[in-house]
C-alpha cells in the first residue's frame, strides 16, 4: 500500500508545482504541515482506486490526491520568505482572495456584466472546496474527491 511521504511530496512541490527553493526552503515547516493536513482530508478509500487516465505515471490515487491537496494548501497559506514574492504572486494569479461562488455562464460587453451559473456538481461544494477550485492542484484533488462519492462532501 502506497503512502504519502515528505520526500516525494517535496519533489512534487519543487518539480511539478515549480516552487523555487528560495521561496520555500527544504526545511520549511509548511511542507510537513500541508502534507499532514491533506492526509486528514483525503479519502483513504482512494488507496484502492485505479490510477486516473490523466496521471503521467502509474501512481496511487490516494497519494496523488494528498500531494495535490497539500500543494493547494501551500498556495493558499504559505507565507513568503524575506525578499520573495512567489506565494503572494501565486495568490494574485489564482485569485485566491477573491470570492467566486459559481462558474461564468454569460458575459456582456455593453455593461461588462457577468452571470454565474451554479452547476449541480458545484452546488454541493463546501466553502473550502470552492477555494480548492482556484488552483490546478486543488482541482485535481477535487476530481479525486468527486470520484469517492457524496460521503466525502463532493457529489
Amino acid at each position: 500500500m502506497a503512502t504519502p511521504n515528505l520526500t516525494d511530496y517535496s519533489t512534487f512541490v519543487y518539480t511539478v508545482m515549480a516552487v523555487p527553493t528560495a521561496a520555500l526552503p527544504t526545511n520549511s515547516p509548511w511542507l510537513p504541515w500541508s502534507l499532514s493536513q491533506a492526509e486528514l482530508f483525503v479519502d483513504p478509500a482512494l488507496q484502492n482506486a485505479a490510477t486516473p487516465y490523466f496521471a503521467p505515471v502509474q501512481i496511487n490515487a490516494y497519494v496523488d490526491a494528498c500531494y495535490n491537496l497539500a500543494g493547494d494548501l501551500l498556495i493558499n497559506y504559505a507565507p513568503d520568505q524575506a525578499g520573495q514574492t512567489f506565494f503572494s504572486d501565486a495568490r494574485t494569479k489564482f485569485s485566491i482572495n477573491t470570492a467566486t461562488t459559481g462558474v461564468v455562464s454569460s458575459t456582456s460587453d455593453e455593461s461588462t456584466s457577468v452571470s454565474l451559473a451554479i452547476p449541480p456538481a458545484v452546488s454541493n461544494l463546501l466553502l473550502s472546496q470552492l477555494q480548492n477550485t482556484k488552483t490546478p492542484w486543488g482541482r485535481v484533488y477535487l476530481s479525486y474527491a468527486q470520484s469517492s462519492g457524496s460521503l466525502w462532501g463532493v457529489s
Side-chain angles (χ1 to χ4, degrees):
M1 176 164 31
T3 58
N5 64 74
L6 191 55
T7 300
D8 291 342
Y9 171 56
S10 296
T11 300
F12 175 87
V13 168
Y14 298 122
T15 58
V16 175
M17 293 180 67
V19 176
T21 55
L24 187 71
T26 57
N27 64 348
S28 170
W30 289 96
L31 286 165
W33 173 84
S34 59
L35 183 57
S36 66
Q37 290 299 300
E39 288 178 283
L40 291 174
F41 289 99
V42 176
D43 180 4
L46 286 171
Q47 285 283 10
N48 302 319
T51 302
Y53 70 90
F54 55 82
V57 294
Q58 289 294 96
I59 53 170
N60 179 280
Y62 173 73
V63 172
D64 194 41
C66 284
Y67 292 167
N68 277 279
L69 177 56
D72 179 73
L73 291 170
L74 275 180
I75 296 298
N76 276 274
Y77 298 109
D80 282 315
Q81 296 292 307
Q84 298 292 313
T85 61
F86 178 85
F87 289 107
S88 59
D89 291 346
R91 285 190 271 277
T92 299
K93 175 183 175 183
F94 296 121
S95 301
I96 295 298
N97 297 320
T98 304
T100 306
T101 57
V103 294
V104 175
S105 66
S106 65
T107 61
S108 172
D109 287 340
E110 295 298 320
S111 63
T112 64
S113 65
V114 174
S115 296
L116 297 177
I118 302 175
V122 174
S123 67
N124 295 327
L125 294 179
L126 302 172
L127 287 175
S128 62
Q129 293 164 333
L130 284 172
Q131 190 69 12
N132 294 137
T133 65
K134 295 185 176 203
T135 72
W137 306 285
R139 290 188 296 271
V140 169
Y141 159 69
L142 285 175
S143 71
Y144 283 116
Q146 279 189 315
S147 70
S148 292
S150 59
L151 174 65
W152 297 97
V154 184
S155 58

